[in-house]
Amino acid sequence: MKTKILDINPKKINLAKIKIAAEVIKKGNLVAFPTETVYGLGADALNEEAVAKIFQVKERPFNDPLIVHIADIKELNRLSKQIPPVALKLAKAFWPGPLTLVLKKSELVSDIITAGLDTVAIRMPDDNIALGLIREAQTPIVAPSANLFGRTSPTNAQHVADDLEGKIEMIIDGGKTKVGVESTVLDITAEPVRLLRAGGISVERLKEVIGQVKIGEELEKGLRSPGMLNSHYSPRARLILVEEKGEAQVEKVRRLSSEYKAQGFKVGIMTKEENQDKYNRFQVKVIGKGSELKTCATNLFAVLRNFDKEGFEIIVAEGLEEQGLGLAIMERLRKAAAPKYEC
Ligand code: TXA
Ligand code: MG
């Protein structure tokens, strides 16, 4: 299959082009498109055959449920049979935006989307291309991140092409995504609501709006939450995460990098900007200032992909502060560092 690349300027949306992409969705085919978090691989949520193609193309196991993307809050009533007040409160505060709500599903939502669960994950993305596509396709759109299963999520159209060129009908190129990590996933069928995946909306911000948020035990222990494997977001290189703080961190990064280099591996260091001069003998990529976690989140996946492109075999990565978006970054780095399993 020849994958069509459709350039759309996010600042000046060309509706005719959005309509072309929407036709592809309507026909039951796949379109990768930008959202504010990462690129998604979209299919018509109401077409089971189209949804099945996502699993096939991504090589994703069927027990990993998908997020349904909507452009109008009224769609909640079609997709969920029980909308607690906290859902509306969260939607009002954070939609469109990087927050996914897990609710009781309605009959309309097929089991292939939810992996047989009686709940469905829903979000409204904060991206005019994504919203336009959903509106023009006149259907909710399911979209996992547009990468091969278990790999680093794509934050630009080239990343998508690197994984999926020739396997899908169309990629919309709308430039670089602004958030850079996936949406926060919140189970609001639980009481108090439970964080299943840290993401673009920080726990601190959620607490400002709804008070209590329980951090899922899976997340605390770094274990799997529904459909989330321990090993995920993996670059091809082996990633070693150094969680020490201050000088101890720098020393350990230096020691590990030296050891692997001595063994003949091509070693790269992912560092905070303020430490980059401390690794002069090594090859270094900067994720951003340690105090600017938003920038670090935006850069994270692209930096990991760049290490892969340049053939690094080992990435020694400095851990970041686990506050605000730092929690989402660290969750991803821990998973990227986890041993890989067959699935
Ligand atoms: O930012 C995002 O959320 C991106 C963009 C494209 O929207 N999408 C994304 O999708 O990250 P994906 O498939 O890579 O991750 C979906 C996550 C998985 O961890 C899955 O387990 C969880 O959402 N999920 C989906 N449905 C669920 C459900 N019913 N209950 C619990 N978790 C669910
Ligand atoms: Mg993903």
Side-chain angles (χ1 to χ4, degrees), residues 35 37-41 58 60 64-67 69 100 102 113-114 117 119-121 123 143-145 181-183 185 196-197 225-228:
T35 79
T37 58
V38 301
Y39 272 70
L41 179 60
K58 274 195 63 136
R60 176 174 171 126
D64 194 359
L66 301 173
I67 296 173
H69 296 67
T100 294
V102 172
I113 292 176
T114 66
L117 298 170
T119 53
V120 57
R123 89 175 189 99
S145 47
V181 290
E182 299 86 341
S183 61
V185 180
L196 296 179
R197 177 175 76 182
S225 61
M228 270 186 100

Side-chain angles (χ1 to χ4, degrees), residues 70 72-74 76 83-101 103 122-124 126 186 188 201 205-206 208-210:
I70 59 175
D72 183 338
I73 193 163
K74 289 195 204 96
L76 275 183
I83 302 162
V86 68
L88 297 175
K89 210 168 166 182
L90 285 163
K92 211 171 145 210
F94 298 112
W95 279 1
L99 176 67
T100 294
L101 301 177
L103 295 143
I122 305 174
R123 89 175 189 99
M124 190 191 292
D126 183 17
L186 208 54
I188 53 175
I201 300 286
R205 289 182 67 198
L206 292 173
E208 277 168 22
V209 174
I210 53 167

Side-chain angles (χ1 to χ4, degrees), residues 241-242 249-250 253 270-272 275 279 316-320 333:
L241 178 61
V242 178
Q249 184 178 47
V250 172
V253 168
M270 185 169 86
T271 177
K272 297 180 271 279
N275 286 347
Y279 303 119
V316 182
E318 289 185 344
L320 302 174
L333 284 173

Side-chain angles (χ1 to χ4, degrees), residues 268-283:
I269 295 174
M270 185 169 86
T271 177
K272 297 180 271 279
E273 192 178 309
E274 51 271 35
N275 286 347
Q276 64 175 321
D277 294 335
K278 299 184 177 162
Y279 303 119
N280 285 335
R281 291 190 304 114
F282 301 98
Q283 286 179 277

Side-chain angles (χ1 to χ4, degrees), residues 235-283:
R236 280 173 221 285
R238 179 166 162 223
L239 188 135
I240 297 159
L241 178 61
V242 178
E243 298 205 30
E244 278 77 358
K245 301 266 163 355
E247 270 315 295
Q249 184 178 47
V250 172
E251 268 162 39
K252 190 167 172 188
V253 168
R254 276 199 203 119
R255 179 172 58 75
L256 289 172
S257 305
S258 297
E259 281 172 16
Y260 284 110
K261 220 173 135 182
Q263 288 172 39
F265 290 107
K266 181 166 177 181
V267 181
I269 295 174
M270 185 169 86
T271 177
K272 297 180 271 279
E273 192 178 309
E274 51 271 35
N275 286 347
Q276 64 175 321
D277 294 335
K278 299 184 177 162
Y279 303 119
N280 285 335
R281 291 190 304 114
F282 301 98
Q283 286 179 277

